[in-house]
Amino acid sequence: MLCQDVHQFGQKLARRRLLEPRERFERPEADHLNTLDLVALGVGSTLGAGVYILVGEVAVYEAGPATVICFFAAGVSTLLSGLCYAELAAWVPRPGSAYLYSYITMGQLCAFIIGWNLILSFVTATACEARAWSYAFDSLIGNHISQAFQEMFSLHVPHFLATYVDFFAFILVLLLTGLLVLGIHESVLVSKVFTSLNLLVLSFIILSGFIKGDLHNWKLTNQDYSLNTLNMSGYSDISSLGPLGSGGFVPFGFEGILHGAGTCFYAFVGFDVIATTGGEVPNPHRSIPLGIVISLSICFLACFGVSAALTLMVPYYQIQLESPLPQAFLHVGWGPARYAVAVGSLCALTSSLLGTMFPMPRLIYAMAEDGLLFQGLAQIYSCTGTPILAIIFAGSLTGVMTLLFELSDLVDFVSTAMLLAYSLVAFSVLVLRYQPDQNLSTSEATEEEIDISLLEASRFEPGPEARSSNILKTLWCPSNTIPTLKSGQIVYWCAFFLVLLLTILSLILAQWPIQVFSGDPGLTTVAVLLLLIIIGGTVIIWRQPQSPSSVYFKVPALPVLPLVSIFVNVYLMVQMDTGTWVLFGIWMGIGFAIYFGYGIRHSLENSESQPPASTLQT
């Protein structure tokens, strides 16, 4: 009896979403988005605090001029994840993003974990953008707002909370929450205007950097640092210099580049807003993949160019953290240009703030509609077709985070949650591409035919020696040219095993990189063995038949590209500090309490007719 209860409980956790259209996904057709709208949303939500403020912090403390390499590594990682998002968006053109993808491929519990962490990442990212907007505007008017709030509302609390309550950022969040309630077209129109201004300003910054920049700033020495220490008059509002490190192009070494890449990943967070718009796009199979790839390409070029321009114009240890780009123009003698850059940064932060707020209520709506969150959050406001309660809830939670936390304390937290989501999206590509169509069908007759064929096959099951030969033949030389239930299971478990091995390899490379690459007998042997096993598992997956289903976009170089994406994402995740993982654990504890106390009992999947769970589901 106990075993049966445990088995039924496990089936609930592994119950997957079906791919067939459901009426509850249908929304009012009043609003439609085209590919240009999606690109504007993607670029607007991505190019914000990361390119205007975070670039200074990475350059001063983590990478110096090698910040361009950090952005390149983070951009490649995000582009790999973006390609996986694009294929899954073509397979599953519905609102919900990575939450829905994991629900279809890995089951209900995994979907809740991803959805819960995406909510946190969107909330904290929006709080970061609101704080950054407040900082940029405050710097433009002479820091009067922060001085007034510090005198009136200083909290005097532990370091993980803000030094003062920023009511200015809080009011900004409330205003944009009201804008989201009005409807999607109003939000997209505002995003288009501010994104266009943002791209113009970024183009001006990049061109100015190559005109006024000096290559000597990429090869600074101790002598240059000493001269700047003696004479600080040319760079106002700087009380001290940042660290020199070892000087040159890579002043803080390879480890600094790795940490910087993990931080720079935040600059590319936001493109997945496109994947949450499946319900508002007339042709999602084409528009969503195109929107993701185009917006990520634009964001990568902008971040790479701005980081190069900044480190060429200003020695990395002289960059001002709160407003690096405006002060850079003051440093090169183009003082009036800093006002244009400051206005551009406000436009960028406004569109980014709106873009990061945009997917939050849609994700909450999707989870509430499925019963995993409180179903009252799925209420639609008939006049505008927007999930009004989900928007109000998301705006309120974001406002509280904006009041209490600093921008720098939340960046790593956002990156960790998004890297986890992107890794599971890449995993989902492997699972879906190699699965037979029967596994994604609601046809009970098809499932019954599969079960009957399996039973008939079991009557003629061969002996142990023949069984071993058949297993090896199935792994290396499958007889079918289209996916079967068995080949789908092989891919699923091989991919799961490879993710574990890639995680172990990432931990080894993160903890003992010098020993591994210097030829330490023990660690190098372990790393090489892991790599060989990973290559073998990849070949096994490659030999299995892929689904012949035609979709608009497919990830190239399968299964290598998704596995590389998972490895890079996991490697960046293990760079995060212990405090980030502690906060992550607390948030997950709250989420599990909601899921096991409410979601698992109220899930709509529990009340609908479902086919028996396959081995893949369990």
Side-chain angles (χ1 to χ4, degrees), residues 240-255:
S240 62
L241 293 175
L244 173 68
S246 61
F249 185 74
V250 189
F252 303 106
F254 183 67
E255 184 178 356

Side-chain angles (χ1 to χ4, degrees), residues 451-466:
D451 292 338
I452 292 172
S453 64
L454 291 176
L455 289 173
E456 292 177 351
S458 65
R459 298 176 185 174
F460 306 97
E461 188 174 355
E465 296 181 0

Side-chain angles (χ1 to χ4, degrees), residues 149-161:
F149 284 151
Q150 283 177 349
E151 294 174 359
M152 295 167 49
F153 303 108
S154 183
L155 295 179
H156 302 293
V157 291
H159 68 281
F160 56 85
L161 295 179

Side-chain angles (χ1 to χ4, degrees), residues 507-564:
L507 289 171
I508 292 175
L509 293 177
Q511 295 296 323
W512 304 284
I514 298 177
Q515 293 89 327
V516 171
F517 292 107
S518 63
D520 180 87
L523 292 174
T524 303
T525 302
V526 172
V528 171
L529 287 176
L530 287 173
L531 188 60
L532 291 176
I533 297 173
I534 290 169
I535 292 175
T538 304
V539 173
I540 291 175
I541 295 177
W542 173 66
R543 294 293 297 169
Q544 303 306 310
Q546 296 186 24
S547 173
S549 299
S550 176
V551 293
Y552 182 80
F553 179 84
K554 286 188 175 182
V555 172
L558 206 78
V560 175
L561 191 147
L563 289 173
V564 171

Side-chain angles (χ1 to χ4, degrees), residues 70-129:
C70 297
F71 275 108
F72 177 78
V76 169
S77 171
T78 312
L79 185 60
L80 294 176
S81 301
L83 293 175
C84 296
Y85 255 97
E87 175 168 340
L88 286 177
W91 280 99
V92 193
R94 306 224 180 95
S97 189
Y99 156 75
L100 182 59
Y101 305 153
S102 57
Y103 206 160
I104 290 169
T105 56
M106 287 173 285
Q108 187 179 103
L109 177 61
C110 183
F112 180 84
I113 292 173
I114 294 302
W116 186 245
N117 283 286
L118 283 175
I119 291 174
L120 176 65
S121 65
F122 288 141
V123 167
T124 50
T126 305
C128 287
E129 298 292 340

